[in-house]
Amino acid sequence: MSERTFKKNEITEGVIWKQLLIFFFPIMLGTLVQQFYTTVDTIIVGRFVGKAALASVGGPAAVIANIVITFFNGLANGAAVIIAQYYGSRDEKRLHVGLHTAYAFSIMTSIAVTVVGVIGTPYFLKWMNTPEDMMADSTIYLRVYFLGIIFTLVYNMGAAIMRAAGDSRRPLLYLIVCSVMNIILDIVMVVFLHMGIAGAALATVISQCISAALVTYSLMHAYDVMKLKLREIRMNMSVLAKELKIGIPGALQACAYGVTNVIIQAVVNGFGTDTAAGWAAYGKLDMIFWTVNSALGVAVTTFVGQNYGAGKMDRVYKSIRVNLGISYLFNGVVLVVLYVFCEPLYHLFTTDQAVIDIGVYMLRFLVPSYLLSVLLENLTGGLRGLGDVLWPTIFTFAGLFFVRLPWTMIMTQLHHNVETLLISYPLAWGTTIICLIPYYFWRKKKKMSQIA
């Protein structure tokens, strides 16, 4: 198939700010929709099952599930960067191999995750110092979740591939379908059938199965130059190596956040069930910001990847600058809304005033420091699109393992209050940014001089 099969690519040829917004909005809406249905899941559990179940779903179970998903999404992003570069360079042959390799890898990985997750769940929970009244619910939820993890991983890989090709609308549509289905199943299984926390987990698995099927069908039929063929799903080791070269550092970076969150969750659990429940509800509101911020990170990674593949370095760095401005605009609005309206939002999760007060304090304490993470997400997202992930990962590790963890494990134990724990977040972000900014401009100067 010739290059003429490729349609005009607005990401590499159109007005940058306009195309960034067109590409970003479906991703942002999709991530917010995803957050909405997980929030509804938490609300239903908190209202109809109880406070301990709320703390289980939003606390230990959520942290462990998040580690798995963020690690795999890091690997999926590696595949997406390679596919974006192939798409930008209009290399149909390598695009075909990259697609099938990524899909095969997601299936094989999901099998391994299922086995380890189902067997290891009780041990993971005990390691996190999960309170005894949360153990049973957390174990049930996680085991059901891990049994259906293949649908989640296949959907995430498929959606990442579609976005790498510049299509952010179909993943949004499928998320909406998934969300509506999840909410309906939540109500049926938890409220009417009284299946408790197992019903909430099963509702999530079934809805993810539907979204995985939709993504797979689209990749088989919706694209002229990128068609998934089930019989050709296999791993090409040389292409897999390229995808993993970018994906593994990104996955380790994401996993590093997850590991520190596990330790922080264990510290939070030590403050008691009220604080654990407040932290769980805070995490749901906090994710509104993170989903918007990460969506902007996906947008800049795709733009940089495709323009880098097309050899348009001037558009690469302009995309990063423009996306940074857009990021501060949208995230600024989100942070103001969260700061002002967090107390009534907490009432969605629980009527326990002690839990609400703790959660409100946590959120308002941390919101101003999130401005640091906006800059961090844009610079790392841009470098990821260039295939440069090693040093950003090292800088992230420095912030997490030489700042956040020592602070959490030493200072929080000495003072034993929530404020000391929360300070670890801006300290880690600030340390990473101090390392990353000089490196970013050095890499930019080197890349531009090579072209000149």
Side-chain angles (χ1 to χ4, degrees):
M1 197 175 293
S2 68
E3 183 178 312
R4 287 177 296 178
T5 306
F6 285 82
K7 298 178 181 179
K8 179 181 178 181
N9 189 349
E10 295 292 346
I11 289 179
T12 59
E13 300 176 43
V15 178
I16 291 177
W17 69 265
K18 183 179 179 181
Q19 296 306 319
L20 267 170
L21 288 176
I22 291 173
F23 184 71
F24 157 69
F25 271 117
I27 301 176
M28 182 189 71
L29 292 174
T31 50
L32 288 176
V33 166
Q34 190 173 32
Q35 178 59 26
F36 172 73
Y37 84 72
T38 57
T39 300
V40 170
D41 187 52
T42 307
I43 291 171
I44 292 173
V45 168
R47 289 282 186 172
F48 294 95
V49 183
K51 182 165 65 176
L54 169 63
S56 298
V57 173
V63 170
I64 292 173
N66 191 54
I67 289 175
V68 175
I69 297 303
T70 52
F71 184 82
F72 179 79
N73 283 349
L75 298 177
N77 286 336
V81 168
I82 295 299
I83 288 172
Q85 292 177 359
Y86 290 164
Y87 198 92
S89 63
R90 301 186 171 228
D91 189 331
E92 186 180 350
K93 182 178 180 180
R94 289 194 294 176
L95 181 62
H96 178 84
V97 175
L99 165 65
H100 289 80
T101 296
Y103 235 73
F105 179 74
S106 66
I107 294 170
M108 296 299 295
T109 301
S110 65
I111 295 172
V113 170
T114 297
V115 173
V116 173
V118 171
I119 295 173
T121 286
Y123 304 100
F124 301 150
L125 292 172
K126 288 178 181 178
W127 182 55
M128 291 176 63
N129 194 31
T130 303
E132 193 60 37
D133 61 346
M134 295 164 53
M135 276 294 295
D137 282 341
S138 297
T139 301
I140 292 171
Y141 186 89
L142 276 175
R143 280 183 164 162
V144 174
Y145 182 83
F146 279 125
L147 286 171
I149 198 72
I150 185 171
F151 306 121
T152 302
L153 300 193
V154 166
Y155 167 77
N156 286 354
M157 179 63 81
I161 292 169
M162 295 165 84
R163 286 190 288 264
D167 183 3
S168 58
R169 296 180 182 179
R170 284 188 180 88
L172 169 62
L173 175 61
Y174 302 152
L175 267 178
I176 292 173
V177 172
C178 174
S179 301
V180 172
M181 181 61 65
N182 196 9
I183 292 170
I184 292 172
L185 291 173
D186 266 333
I187 294 171
V188 172
M189 294 182 176
V190 177
V191 179
F192 292 106
L193 298 181
H194 307 290
M195 294 175 64
I197 203 165
L202 190 58
T204 300
V205 168
I206 294 173
S207 61
Q208 286 290 337
C209 176
I210 294 171
S211 63
L214 290 171
V215 163
T216 301
Y217 181 84
S218 285
L219 287 171
M220 292 172 65
H221 300 284
Y223 302 93
D224 291 333
V225 296
M226 189 176 70
K227 283 192 178 296
L228 178 69
K229 298 179 180 180
L230 298 182
R231 293 183 178 180
E232 296 182 28
I233 293 179
R234 60 181 62 88
M235 286 188 282
N236 180 291
M237 299 312 295
S238 63
V239 173
L240 180 63
K242 293 179 181 178
E243 294 176 352
L244 292 180
K245 183 179 179 181
I246 298 174
I248 287 177
L252 291 175
Q253 181 177 332
C255 191
Y257 281 109
V259 169
T260 56
N261 286 340
V262 169
I263 295 172
I264 289 171
Q265 181 68 55
V267 174
V268 168
N269 290 342
F271 290 121
T273 301
D274 281 350
T275 302
W279 184 259
Y282 153 78
K284 293 300 179 182
L285 296 181
D286 167 73
M287 282 303 294
I288 297 174
F289 164 77
W290 287 111
T291 50
V292 174
N293 199 39
S294 63
L296 286 157
V298 171
V300 75
T301 297
T302 300
F303 266 69
V304 168
Q306 287 206 22
N307 282 286
Y308 180 64
K312 299 183 177 182
M313 294 303 297
D314 56 330
R315 290 178 63 87
V316 163
Y317 291 106
K318 187 174 180 180
S319 297
I320 297 172
R321 293 195 303 271
V322 171
N323 198 72
L324 182 60
I326 293 172
S327 295
Y328 274 114
L329 176 63
F330 281 92
N331 283 309
V333 172
V334 170
L335 293 177
V336 169
V337 170
L338 288 177
Y339 191 93
V340 174
F341 297 104
C342 58
E343 184 163 358
L345 289 172
Y346 270 105
H347 281 278
L348 294 172
F349 300 97
T350 180
T351 56
D352 190 313
Q353 191 59 44
V355 173
I356 293 171
D357 290 342
I358 292 170
V360 168
Y361 179 80
M362 290 175 175
L363 193 144
R364 287 181 172 165
F365 187 96
L366 282 176
V367 155
S369 65
Y370 285 0
L371 297 175
L372 293 172
S373 68
V374 174
L375 176 59
L376 190 59
E377 182 68 30
N378 272 269
L379 295 183
T380 55
L383 290 168
R384 189 184 308 119
L386 292 169
D388 188 351
V389 291
L390 178 59
W391 280 102
T393 299
I394 292 173
F395 298 147
T396 299
F397 275 35
L400 293 176
F401 295 114
F402 292 103
V403 178
R404 181 177 294 176
L405 273 189
W407 182 276
T408 299
M409 298 176 72
I410 298 172
M411 299 303 294
T412 303
Q413 296 302 317
L414 288 175
H415 296 280
H416 198 68
N417 58 58
V418 174
E419 295 90 342
T420 305
L421 173 66
L422 298 178
I423 290 171
S424 67
Y425 282 85
L427 284 177
W429 293 330
T431 301
T432 305
I433 287 173
I434 289 172
C435 297
L436 188 63
I437 288 177
Y439 176 78
Y440 171 81
F441 283 105
W442 174 76
R443 288 290 292 168
K444 177 181 178 181
K445 182 178 180 180
K446 185 176 180 181
K447 285 283 186 183
M448 297 306 287
S449 64
Q450 287 174 347
I451 295 173

